[in-house]
Amino acid sequence: MPLLIVFIGILFLLLLIIKFKLNTFVSLIITSFAVAIGLGMPLDKITTSIENGIGSQLGHLSLVFGFGAMLGKLVADSGGAYRIATTLINRFGRKWIQLAVVLASFIIGIALFFEVGIVLLIPIIFAIATELGISILYLGIPMAAALSVTHGFLPPHPAPTAIASALNANVGMVLIYGLILAIPVTLIAGPLFAVVAQKYIPSAFKQKGNLSALGTQKEFKLEDTPSFGMSTLTSLFPVIIMAISTIYDMVVNKGIQPKNPNSVDSFFMFIGAPGVAMLLSLLFAIYSMGFARKIPVKDIMSSLEVAVKQIAMLLLIIGGGGAFKQVLVDGGVADVISKMFESSSLSPLFLGWLIAALLRVSLGSATVAALTAAGLVSGLMAGTGVDPALMVIAIGSGSLIASHVNDAGFWMIKEYFDLSVKETLATWTVLETVVSVSGLGGVMIINLFV
């Protein structure tokens, strides 16, 4: 019965968002109340559960997302992202142009949210494709693959950071596993898939794209942008800090948090915390993308304010996803699922991926699907010895699968590349599925050795 109520709740959520065009955050909160009542939770406990869900989710993540958005905005507004993309593309040359696009998109994707990365990179991709006389989608697929992988696998992006928080996973280990998997998955879903797609859906590769859908774009002169090295360092700064902290922990403490940490242990634990890493990275970005280039403080602060406005709704949606997750946990749904599969021979990692995948197909939003799945599978991990960091990647992979008409990303790709619905399904939807399945395969392989 609890699972039936959850299923009905998801259908209700879809009805509110798709049929009645209700805001996603409002829809999540309404659905959370409805599902809580359906699960028989005491009425005086429902509001507390929802508030706890929002608070626990945003209390930790608001720092990461807020500082991350500000850092990305500074890199974008300064022309740093433009410098990274154009430098790599020019250096790799025509023969290796797809790898150049992958590398540029990967670096930029770590600093910027998925949608922002697409808007920033597409004009550059269009210009390069036109200059070389090759298909825009031939470069667009590697770009989209790299951005999607960073979005689903790597902190400090919303989904992996949020799942790590929900499952109490070590964010540094999530980052290391994510980086290990990101390279092969991006190559499979990017350059390799582009070659295959070009053969079975050739019409999509003949489209000229639609730059007008992007609106007015800021133009940069290369000589006015920050250097390639500084732009790359600024973009990767949070990843570098968290990786250093994790490597120290693995080498010195064998990956086990000491009961009585010394001052050096405490220092590395402190800087490796996502919130602290993002704050340090933002301060560095303010200097490297701002003060060092003689940018007025007023302009720097203006970029930060715009960045916060741009992610305000995203934060609310993530909070709404946290509320829905908490209702499922407090309503006993997670316990029901764990009992259902306690004697199952299926891997908990596969089940986590599968639940996230089903939610992704139903809900559209990768972040909401990932958060909800995290709440449902938390009970599956008890006593299994599954590494929580691997479960984060498994859920993140599942949450990317089969983007279709209920996902905003689907329509962005369709409009920007001027594709038909059929062509978008045959390219973007399949690409996301390749990323998802490849990610799961990589997780299963790593699980054999850890």
Side-chain angles (χ1 to χ4, degrees), residues 44-64:
D44 60 330
K45 303 292 185 183
I46 294 175
T47 301
T48 301
S49 180
I50 289 174
E51 290 175 350
N52 288 341
I54 295 174
S56 63
Q57 200 68 67
L58 293 184
H60 168 67
L61 298 176
S62 55
L63 283 177
V64 178

Side-chain angles (χ1 to χ4, degrees), residues 283-302:
L283 293 175
F284 181 74
I286 290 173
Y287 167 75
S288 64
M289 300 290 107
F291 294 155
R293 302 181 59 244
K294 305 296 190 293
I295 304 297
V297 175
K298 181 181 178 181
D299 292 346
I300 298 174
M301 294 304 110
S302 177

Side-chain angles (χ1 to χ4, degrees), residues 159-160 162-163 166 325 356 359-360 365-375 395-396 399:
I163 310 168
K325 177 212 73 175
L359 289 167
R360 158 67 157 181
S365 169
T367 303
V368 174
L371 280 172
T372 307
I395 292 175
S399 72

